[in-house]
Amino acid sequence: MTIRLLKTSMVFAVGLWALLIAADNILDYDSNWHFVQHVLSMDTVFPDNALKYRAITDPKIQALGYWMIIATEWVMSALCLTGAWGLFRARRNRLDFIAAKPLAACGLVLVFLMYFVGFVVVGGEWFCMWQSEIWNGQAKAVMFLTCAMLVLIVLLLQEEDQRP
């Protein structure tokens, strides 16, 4: 049961982290709003960048993008925290614990999708975020998605056939 509690704690930690990010993006809206605006407008990429036609400068579309990020963070948090609760409740029974894993796994995969697809692929490559010295969030995104993937790997390790 100790290993199950460790797995549960790891999923809970990711859920708590996602909850703090989501809450911070509402409580301190402007900080990350400026980040999203600069990345989408591509105003700090190399001056001669031929890909600047991809820039999104309409504040309404930028706000929609930011709210999609915030909503995804809330869902990541809800899935991981609810998944951790399900794992905790099922900790005494191997089969129940295995059956409780998918919800937590969905939350962890959503973290991966948000930070790999959203920040590395779309932000980093499509909007050339890597070219900005100030508004480049790729390193943090990779740190976040790596942590989530490590927790996912641990979570999905086969449960030993122990009693109970």
Side-chain angles (χ1 to χ4, degrees):
M1 186 172 20
T2 302
I3 299 301
R4 293 181 196 147
L5 287 172
L6 294 173
K7 290 179 179 187
T8 300
S9 298
M10 293 173 76
V11 172
F12 176 78
V14 173
L16 180 60
W17 162 80
L19 177 66
L20 289 173
I21 289 176
D24 287 350
N25 278 341
I26 290 179
L27 296 172
D28 185 18
Y29 185 89
D30 284 343
S31 292
N32 287 315
W33 165 239
H34 294 299
F35 173 85
V36 170
Q37 282 184 306
H38 286 289
V39 170
L40 294 180
S41 67
M42 299 177 72
D43 60 357
T44 60
V45 300
F46 300 158
D48 59 346
N49 187 325
L51 302 176
K52 281 188 174 183
Y53 71 89
R54 296 175 178 173
I56 296 174
T57 56
D58 183 333
K60 290 180 183 175
I61 297 173
Q62 291 174 336
L64 176 65
Y66 187 33
W67 279 105
M68 287 174 53
I69 291 168
I70 293 170
T72 302
E73 291 165 348
W74 283 107
V75 174
M76 291 174 351
S77 173
L79 288 171
C80 287
L81 291 174
T82 305
W85 176 247
L87 292 168
F88 180 76
R89 289 185 357 170
R91 72 191 179 279
R92 289 188 169 84
N93 182 285
R94 177 180 174 265
L95 295 178
D96 290 344
F97 190 81
I98 292 168
K101 287 182 178 186
L103 191 60
C106 286
L108 294 166
V109 169
L110 188 55
V111 174
F112 172 81
L113 293 173
M114 162 71 105
Y115 290 102
F116 183 73
V117 175
F119 282 74
V120 175
V121 175
V122 175
E125 290 305 317
W126 183 260
F127 291 107
C128 302
M129 182 170 54
W130 66 270
Q131 294 181 7
S132 177
E133 291 182 22
I134 301 169
W135 304 106
N136 184 353
Q138 289 187 109
K140 279 292 191 187
V142 169
M143 181 185 77
F144 296 159
L145 70 92
T146 300
C147 291
M149 289 303 89
L150 290 172
V151 173
L152 181 65
I153 290 167
V154 170
L155 175 67
L156 296 180
L157 289 174
Q158 185 174 352
E159 297 303 309
E160 293 182 19
D161 191 11
Q162 299 174 350
R163 306 291 181 231

